[in-house]
Amino acid sequence: MDFMYRIIIYIHVLSAIASIGPFFVLLPIAKKLSSAKEHALNGYLETFRFVVRLSKHTGHVLVGSGILLVVLGPWTWGTPWIIMTLIILFCSLFFLARAFSPTLRKFEEEGHEKAELAAKLNRTVWIYLILLLAMLWFMVVKPPLW
């Protein structure tokens, strides 16, 4: 059981890396959106869509492996850092569903303001990264909050 638990931890860590890491690539891309020509713009927007899709799927693995770690491990659902991680997780899921796709679709509308939409995407990436990094902090540090 100990070996299997370690494998699940490994899967959990890999899925956290795959969920968080690609968003750092989006930071320079978001800055380029406002001045991008149509050909490059489509490539940048597809990169955004891919990263959001990747994050959703790796997030499923992350949540599934996290559930297994709690069920099989020494932690309970009442552990403060797990509760805080779950709260931030639900906030990030709501944010992810509402933040990226609608803004990316607006780039396809007539008369869109690229600079405004690019700034919004840049801000959105930072907010989402902060949420993800806060969850990561709780999982790594495991602070005794109460």
Side-chain angles (χ1 to χ4, degrees), residues 58-122:
T58 56
H60 295 135
V61 176
L62 186 64
V63 170
S65 60
I67 290 169
L68 285 174
L69 290 171
V70 173
V71 170
L72 300 174
W75 311 104
T76 67
W77 293 109
T79 305
W81 65 267
I82 291 176
I83 292 170
M84 291 305 296
T85 301
L86 289 172
I87 290 169
I88 297 171
L89 171 70
F90 291 123
C91 291
S92 71
L93 291 174
F94 179 77
F95 185 79
L96 182 64
R98 299 273 193 254
F100 290 102
S101 295
T103 305
L104 291 170
R105 276 194 296 272
K106 287 182 183 178
F107 272 97
E108 298 167 2
E109 295 175 0
E110 291 291 322
H112 65 270
E113 181 58 44
K114 278 198 303 190
E116 183 180 312
L117 292 174
K120 184 175 182 180
L121 278 176
N122 190 47

Side-chain angles (χ1 to χ4, degrees), residues 81 135-143:
W81 65 267
M135 276 191 292
L136 183 65
W137 183 83
F138 279 109
M139 286 187 280
V140 171
V141 176
K142 298 173 180 45

